[in-house]
Structures are given as C-alpha cells and as structure tokens.
Amino acid sequence: MIDQRERRALLDGAGRARDAAELFAGASARLRRMIGFQGAAWSATDPGTGLITAPMRVEELGRREDCFTYWECALLEEDVIPFRELARAAVPAAGLRASTDDLPARSAQYRKLLARQGVGDELRAVFRAGGRPWAVVSLFREKGREAFGPSEVALIAGLSAPLADRLRVLARPATRPGTAVPGGPGLVLFAPSGAPVSVNDEAREYLERLPDGPSSPSALGPPLPIWLIGAAAQARAVAAERDRGAARVRIRTSDGQWLVCHASCLHGPDGAPGMTAVVIQPAAGSDMAPIIAEAYGLSARELEITQLVARGLSTGGIAAELVISPHTVRDHLKTVFAKARVSSRGELVARLFAENHWPRRTGR
C-alpha cells in the first residue's frame, strides 16, 4: 500500500526544488523509502526531441563506462519498453519483468549490463506534460527481490504529470546574467566507430560550463557528457535509417543559460558514412521558443503573438499579420501577461526572450 502522505511530501519537495537536479535528488530519496530500489538513473530530456540532456543523476549504477553503456543502449538498442514508446503510451511507466512475461533477458539492456550487475527488475517512466517529455527515470531492484508490482507502476505513472509540470516551470529562462561565452560555435568530431577524434577550443569552453553528470573518458582531454555522445549516436542511427527524428538537444548550463547541440553525419565523395559532427552554441530565440511556450503554459497562438510583440509590432500590426481582430489580440496579451506575471510588453519581452540571451561574447 502506497503511503499518500509520503507521496504528498514528495510533491511538496519537488515544488520547493530550485532546479531539476535538486528535484531528482529529493524525489529519488523519497521514492527509495516508499518502494525500495537498488539504484536509479534520472535525466532531464529535451521536450522537443525526447533526447537526454543535463542534468542527470545516477545512483549505484556502477562505473562511468557502465553509465555510458546504459544510456547508449537505452537510446539506440532497447526495444523492450523503450523511452520513446513510453512517452506516447497511455500509461507512461512500466516494469521490465511484467512487460516481458518474467523473461527480462528479452531486453538488450538487461543482457548487456543489468544482469551482470545483479539487477532483477527495472521500473522506468517518462515524466510528461503537455504531451511532451521533460525527464525519464529508471529504478532498479536487485535479484532475489520481488518484481515491481502494479501499485508501484501506478505510483510512478501518477507522478509523471506533476513532476513534469514542475520541471517545465524550472526550465524558464534565467533572470541572472550569464558569463562570457566563446565567440564561435563549439565542434566535436566523432569517427564512424563512435570514438571522439577532434574538439575545438570553443567546445572545451562550453563543456566547462555544464553541470556535473555522467561522462565518458576521452583521449581529447575533457570527459564528454553522456548527452553529447547520445546526440552523436542518435545522428548515426538516423543516418543508418534505424531511427527517426532530429539529433538536436538543448542543455542548460551551470549559470542557468541555454545551449543547443546539433549532431549530423557527414559523408565522403562515394557516399560512404563519414564522421559525425556535433555543434554546440548558445540557443537562439527560435531554439528557445518551444521551451518558453511550454514553461509558461502558452498556447501556440499566445506564443505567436508574443513573438510578434518581440519584433515590435503594435496591436494593429499583430492583428493584420494574423488576420484577427485587435480585440482578440488584446485578450490574448492579457492572458499572456498573467501567465508570465508581467504588466507591460517590455517586461514580457525581457522575461521570455532577452533574459535568456548570453550577455557578451569573448573575443577571439
């Protein structure tokens, strides 16, 4: 029987969390007391693509290499309750043993990693709000213990929407100024095998600004975060026609600013697969618009009007652009002001767009 007081305490703690990392830590500690598990892996996701991003929290999953194996397999090989399917499922949580008729070795992830670590069952979930994924979690129980049951799956599924709602609030642009950023895009190149082969100075600077989390050792110097390796792997999967979707992910830095990372596969003159290029740079307004809309609960029309306000259009100009009445524009703006907690157009643009901009660039 799930203790509802503990559940309320978990959600209260999430409501007080100052960032996603703090939310993961508090929720994991509370859940461990409520249902018991050996280890856990938490990760924020890009709500547009579903790819993992920072921050991540991994508990008792073993070595760094094991952490990389876990996420690589979870993203690219797993066909038993994969996260991409849970993101669309009626119930966004499932147990491994229950989903495989008590034959967990059907899972590639279980065969490659979990079985040799003494894991007997996994409960995974996607935290989603507005139809978009904001985080994923896997909870692991050791062999010899009872598998995760229906009540525990229901508990995690029931936490999906409220935790995702809190995560999208925490994704709102920072109000404090960021530090100086490199003058150009960062670039990391991967060989067709997946091994990193080259990195420029700008990429090194961007990587230094990221929050702590699971990473893979690299001969290039700095360890590479799992989300960056995951984006490169996703690009290779798309190029090989093993998956669909953009290999694009937004990452929040330690000082609250946003970066965008885009991976794509290159090809040689004969069309043979070549290197994979991963570009990292400050997120532009167009990159942040979907997250801003979700974070403030704006509808598609409200975001459209807000972007036209940012371009300097008057109420009449917005009405003409969208072929709606000025009265309708004013009604939408009144709703937007209430959601963003501002009282003027200038405040609105500053809060939703200007505050996200990196304040200055370092010269090179």
Side-chain angles (χ1 to χ4, degrees), residues 149-173:
S151 64
E152 293 162 325
V153 173
L155 167 66
I156 303 300
L159 292 172
S160 173
L163 291 184
D165 278 335
R166 180 58 182 160
L167 286 166
R168 66 178 178 178
V169 168
L170 292 171
R172 291 175 179 175

Side-chain angles (χ1 to χ4, degrees), residues 133-282:
W134 287 88
V136 295
V137 65
S138 284
L139 306 177
F140 307 100
R141 256 184 198 163
E142 59 268 38
K143 290 179 181 177
R145 286 197 58 189
E146 186 178 3
F148 289 105
S151 64
E152 293 162 325
V153 173
L155 167 66
I156 303 300
L159 292 172
S160 173
L163 291 184
D165 278 335
R166 180 58 182 160
L167 286 166
R168 66 178 178 178
V169 168
L170 292 171
R172 291 175 179 175
T175 57
R176 58 188 182 277
T179 53
V181 297
L187 178 64
V188 184
L189 292 177
F190 292 82
S193 65
V197 295
S198 182
V199 60
N200 68 359
D201 289 339
E202 288 82 357
R204 293 176 190 273
E205 288 192 46
Y206 286 127
L207 293 175
E208 289 175 358
R209 301 172 191 276
L210 298 176
D212 292 335
S215 60
S216 180
S218 166
L220 300 177
L224 299 179
I226 298 301
W227 57 261
L228 188 146
I229 296 172
Q234 174 71 4
R236 293 195 298 275
V238 171
E241 298 183 346
R242 290 188 287 110
D243 205 350
R244 297 186 180 92
R248 187 180 186 87
V249 63
R250 286 157 286 206
I251 313 99
R252 200 165 199 174
T253 65
S254 299
D255 62 354
Q257 307 301 317
W258 286 88
L259 300 172
V260 64
C261 166
H262 179 73
S264 59
C265 283
L266 309 178
H267 297 278
D270 57 354
M275 292 189 177
T276 300
V278 179
V279 177
I280 311 169
Q281 58 192 17

Side-chain angles (χ1 to χ4, degrees), residues 24 75 97 101 156 169 197 210 217 230 270 278 294 307 325 332:
F24 292 160
L75 291 169
R97 300 194 78 96
D101 196 23
I156 303 300
V169 168
V197 295
L210 298 176
D270 57 354
V278 179
E294 290 288 341
Q307 290 174 311
S325 73
H332 279 305

Side-chain angles (χ1 to χ4, degrees), residues 335-359:
T335 302
V336 171
F337 283 5
K339 289 180 176 180
R341 298 182 181 180
V342 297
S343 57
S344 70
R345 293 186 179 212
E347 280 186 86
L348 177 67
V349 173
R351 176 155 297 177
L352 271 63
F353 296 104
E355 288 173 353
N356 179 62
H357 293 168
W358 294 77

